[in-house]
Amino acid sequence: HPSVAWLLSEVAAPVAGEEILDPCCGAGGVLLAVSQSLQQRQHQQQQQQQYVAPRIRGLDCNKEAVARAQENIRAAAMAEALSAMSRRNSTRAKLKSRDPKTASPSPSSSLIFLASADIEEGDAGAMPFAESSIDVVLSDLPQGRKYGSVESVK
């Protein structure tokens, strides 16, 4: 649910340097939304101070879901990289058409957080992380008949 993922990311408002975890990451939708939100914040903060990228982590008990999330993360990182290259090329072309004495380059493109996202197979009920190592936990929990009754999901 992209709108739920976006809302979770905006409400939590994770910041630079934090460890962010989705313990039921499924195909990685929440991780993608968090990454986009962080990129927007990073671009705003980059000019004010040195920026420390967060660590984005995903966990899911389903091996196929982990593989889908990893593929979605790779695809999104590649799309962002291509978009950044396109923006740089466009900026270069604009700068070439201006007077070189007055032209100034635009700020550098945003970091690609997804390239460093860690997604692994694991059980959210027995997380493989050190105590207090995660700063922000976000998840769009599985629901519906496909996942069983409320009691079985607890």
Side-chain angles (χ1 to χ4, degrees), residues 45-82:
Q45 295 172 2
Q46 186 178 29
Q47 297 164 357
Q48 300 170 3
Q49 59 190 346
Q50 186 175 5
Y51 191 79
V52 179
R55 182 169 184 194
I56 298 175
R57 305 179 85 167
L59 188 68
D60 204 283
C61 62
N62 183 304
K63 187 180 287 190
E64 290 80 23
V66 169
R68 280 193 310 274
Q70 290 169 336
E71 182 57 33
N72 287 339
I73 295 298
R74 279 192 294 274
M78 179 62 73
E80 175 58 28
L82 291 172

Side-chain angles (χ1 to χ4, degrees), residues 121-139:
E121 186 177 354
D123 184 356
M127 287 194 247
F129 308 113
E131 188 174 325
S132 301
S133 66
I134 305 296
D135 299 302
V136 178
V137 177
L138 303 172
S139 195

Side-chain angles (χ1 to χ4, degrees), residues 46-118:
Q46 186 178 29
Q47 297 164 357
Q48 300 170 3
Q49 59 190 346
Q50 186 175 5
Y51 191 79
V52 179
R55 182 169 184 194
I56 298 175
R57 305 179 85 167
L59 188 68
D60 204 283
C61 62
N62 183 304
K63 187 180 287 190
E64 290 80 23
V66 169
R68 280 193 310 274
Q70 290 169 336
E71 182 57 33
N72 287 339
I73 295 298
R74 279 192 294 274
M78 179 62 73
E80 175 58 28
L82 291 172
S83 177
M85 287 188 327
S86 175
R87 287 190 302 268
R88 273 194 300 270
N89 289 339
S90 175
T91 299
R92 286 183 186 141
K94 288 177 185 175
L95 290 175
K96 284 182 182 180
S97 68
R98 295 183 190 166
D99 179 2
K101 294 177 185 174
T102 60
S104 61
S106 61
S108 62
S109 63
S110 60
L111 297 173
I112 302 172
F113 295 106
L114 292 172
S116 63
D118 296 322

